[in-house]
Amino acid sequence: MLTLLFQLSIHAALLLLAAVVGSAVGDGPGSWLGLLFMALLLKGLDLVNRHKFHLWLDDFTLENVPLLAGVWDDMAAKLFRVLKLQQKQQQALSNALISFRTAAQALPDGVVTLDAAGHIIWCNSTAQKHLGLRLTSDIGFPLINIVRDPQFVHYLSGNAWEQTLVIHSPRSNGKILSVQAVGYGDQQVLVLSRDITKIERLEAMRRDFIANVSHELKTPLTVLSGFLETFRDMPLSPEQRTQYLEMMANQAVRMQNLVEDLLTLSALESGTQAESETVNLSELALHLANEAQQISGGQHRIVAEQIEHNLLAQGSEQEIRSAFSNLVTNAVRYTPQGGTIRLTLQQGEDDLGQPISSFTVTDSGIGIQPEHIPRLTERFYRVDRSRSRESGGTGLGLAIVKHITSRHHGELKIRSTPGTGSTFEIQLPLAGVDHPI
Ligand code: ADP
């Protein structure tokens, strides 16, 4: 206001000066001509300033502020300050957006932001992998037009967003996703996706495991309680009593074996390392060859001609013995009477050329179809359930072998020809040799 008054008084003073000078030059019309000339000069200056000001407004940036005079300069200075403040706020906003996107990009979860109409505003690279989006081409399109899973469409269109939704990744990569939508700002939506494939797989394994254990224990328990009822309710001859007691004892042994194997597995899975010692594998193999004779009860030909002397490994003798013994027991179990079981222990090289000991048990038994081989080390996986149970198997033996072998940085290899026989091999690093882990 003060500046305006100042400007007006300058203009008035100039006009007054023009009138005084005009009348001094000549009286009458001279003074009026001077006045008119000054007025025109002032108007002209004003027009030039106004034009420069308008040009600036057309290209309104901080870089091209014009040089103005009078009230126009005052207005330009004020606008300059407003523009500068606006630019500062814009910069702060864009910095905040950049830091939000950088943080969202670094998240292990997928993040998609949607506008009020459900159109994609932005998504991070994990969301692109999870939901099969392409940021460059999908921006501005409705998310439900791209992720067409009916469950997802129903979830996003509904209002039960406090719950998460579990879906298969639309990229058909076998991944299972947990998805949750969260509302924010002005009806905008954040869609979060998390890969829960591993958790779901573990959960399925846990369910299967409990079902399997319950089933394995239920069968012998049912048999046992059946016999107990018979003992209680029926008069039995001494021969029948002996026969039934023997059958009950078998079932009890079966349960005992199962519980023992379960305890072994759980100890192995708990990760607690057994005490490490130098294990003489050669002595162990010879001892197991004798044991095989006893388990077989003379029904098989046991050959142990290729046992190299003094092969040593580092680890738990008890665990290695249990792994070797499992292979021998299986060979006896799955080889018909009259078959041959061959044990060897030799020094060799693994796939990387590292020196190893190789313990093999080869039988001339029933063999295994190739499709079963990769699954044999799963807990409770059996090719022939009834055969395994009849022969006292728990379905946990090879799972235990696999665990023990990998705890000792070794490998279990299985080769088999159905109807001809199988070879199970345990490779272990030799003691005293440095092995890359
Ligand atoms: P089980 O207690 O049933 O023997 P394992 O885990 O030791 O359980 O073995 C899993 C399955 O692998 C067995 O049920 C059997 O079908 C198969 N198997 C293991 N060893 C042999 C073998 N030497 N010959 C044929 N099949 C075998």
Side-chain angles (χ1 to χ4, degrees):
M1 188 66 189
L2 271 176
T3 348
L4 188 63
L5 282 176
F6 177 68
Q7 299 286 342
L8 283 174
S9 35
I10 287 195
H11 281 192
L14 279 173
L15 285 175
L16 197 67
L17 187 69
V20 172
V21 173
S23 54
V25 171
D27 37 272
S31 65
W32 293 111
L33 271 178
L35 199 62
L36 188 66
F37 174 73
M38 275 320 272
L40 283 175
L41 191 68
L42 283 175
K43 188 65 194 165
L45 273 175
D46 189 57
L47 281 175
V48 170
N49 277 319
R50 179 198 292 248
H51 180 66
K52 277 161 94 181
F53 190 77
H54 272 283
L55 281 181
W56 182 43
L57 288 186
D58 287 344
D59 182 14
F60 196 41
T61 62
L62 285 177
E63 284 71 42
N64 58 351
V65 187
L67 258 178
L68 298 168
V71 71
W72 295 106
D73 182 47
D74 191 39
M75 271 162 52
K78 279 199 172 125
L79 277 179
F80 179 84
R81 280 197 294 278
V82 172
L83 196 61
K84 188 130 190 157
L85 187 73
Q86 217 177 43
Q87 206 181 50
K88 235 175 160 177
Q89 285 169 342
Q90 247 171 20
Q91 189 60 45
L93 213 68
S94 106
N95 284 348
L97 191 67
I98 289 172
S99 84
F100 162 74
R101 288 186 176 174
T102 315
Q105 195 65 267
L107 280 177
D109 293 346
V111 179
V112 188
T113 47
L114 305 180
D115 64 16
H119 296 169
I120 300 170
I121 302 173
W122 183 80
C123 67
N124 68 359
S125 53
T126 314
Q128 297 184 48
K129 280 185 215 137
H130 283 175
L131 301 170
L133 305 176
R134 265 179 307 161
L135 190 57
T136 40
S137 53
D138 293 340
I139 269 193
F141 285 95
L143 180 60
I144 53 171
N145 280 9
I146 300 161
V147 182
R148 290 166 170 276
D149 183 319
Q151 274 181 293
F152 180 76
V153 174
H154 183 253
Y155 173 78
L156 212 57
S157 326
N159 51 9
W161 290 355
E162 67 286 352
Q163 285 160 20
T164 53
L165 172 76
V166 176
I167 54 165
H168 284 273
S169 165
R171 294 191 76 177
S172 10
N173 49 12
K175 285 199 185 304
I176 301 168
L177 304 175
S178 161
V179 177
Q180 183 157 31
V182 185
Y184 75 100
D186 185 18
Q187 288 191 306
Q188 284 164 316
V189 181
L190 202 65
V191 180
L192 304 167
S193 61
R194 173 167 292 178
D195 183 354
I196 55 162
T197 319
K198 260 192 194 160
I199 302 170
E200 282 288 303
R201 209 174 283 150
L202 279 175
E203 184 54 26
M205 272 169 72
R206 191 188 64 82
R207 279 195 302 266
D208 284 355
F209 183 69
I210 291 175
N212 274 321
V213 171
S214 318
H215 182 75
E216 294 293 331
L217 284 173
K218 198 177 160 205
T219 318
L221 270 174
T222 313
V223 179
L224 266 179
S225 58
F227 280 126
L228 283 172
E229 269 176 36
T230 315
F231 266 88
R232 191 187 57 198
D233 302 338
M234 284 172 60
L236 295 170
S237 68
E239 294 79 38
Q240 278 176 319
R241 287 172 73 90
T242 317
Q243 191 196 353
Y244 290 173
L245 278 172
E246 204 169 308
M247 287 160 114
M248 286 167 75
N250 279 343
Q251 297 304 321
V253 168
R254 196 173 141 188
M255 283 195 288
Q256 208 171 352
N257 287 343
L258 180 66
V259 172
E260 266 166 25
D261 276 359
L262 282 172
L263 287 174
T264 309
L265 250 189
S266 111
L268 289 170
E269 283 178 352
S270 73
T272 41
Q273 288 291 332
E275 210 171 299
S276 180
E277 56 201 313
T278 304
V279 185
N280 190 323
L281 301 176
S282 311
E283 282 176 11
L284 198 60
L286 286 171
H287 175 81
L288 282 170
N290 280 330
E291 213 173 83
Q293 300 277 11
Q294 290 165 25
I295 305 170
S296 156
Q299 297 192 338
H300 304 90
R301 195 165 74 92
I302 311 289
V303 183
E305 288 157 356
Q306 290 173 287
I307 308 281
E308 235 176 87
H309 291 294
N310 260 332
L311 284 190
L312 308 177
Q314 196 65 31
S316 152
E317 166 145 23
Q318 188 217 332
E319 287 184 10
I320 297 175
R321 179 191 294 269
S322 155
F324 282 15
S325 153
N326 252 304
L327 299 189
V328 175
T329 315
N330 275 352
V332 173
R333 208 178 268 161
Y334 300 107
T335 303
Q337 202 174 348
T340 302
I341 295 166
R342 201 176 290 276
L343 272 62
T344 71
L345 177 74
Q346 284 174 322
Q347 182 167 342
E349 280 185 354
D350 66 9
D351 299 341
L352 298 170
Q354 293 292 321
I356 45 135
S357 68
S358 154
F359 173 71
T360 65
V361 181
T362 303
D363 62 56
S364 60
I366 57 173
I368 307 156
Q369 298 286 344
E371 66 270 23
H372 294 293
I373 292 181
R375 300 198 59 190
L376 292 183
T377 54
E378 287 175 23
R379 297 179 293 190
F380 296 112
Y381 189 87
R382 290 133 151 167
V383 177
D384 180 344
R385 273 181 185 275
S386 52
R387 183 171 186 140
S388 157
R389 288 211 187 98
E390 273 162 30
S391 55
T394 60
L396 295 173
L398 290 179
I400 292 174
V401 174
K402 171 106 187 274
H403 259 289
I404 294 175
T405 319
S406 52
R407 262 159 81 92
H408 287 80
H409 311 293
E411 252 190 282
L412 169 68
K413 302 208 161 179
I414 306 171
R415 299 177 284 277
S416 186
T417 311
T420 305
S422 316
T423 297
F424 285 75
E425 178 185 7
I426 292 179
Q427 296 184 344
L428 291 176
L430 282 175
V433 183
D434 278 341
H435 294 277
I437 306 234

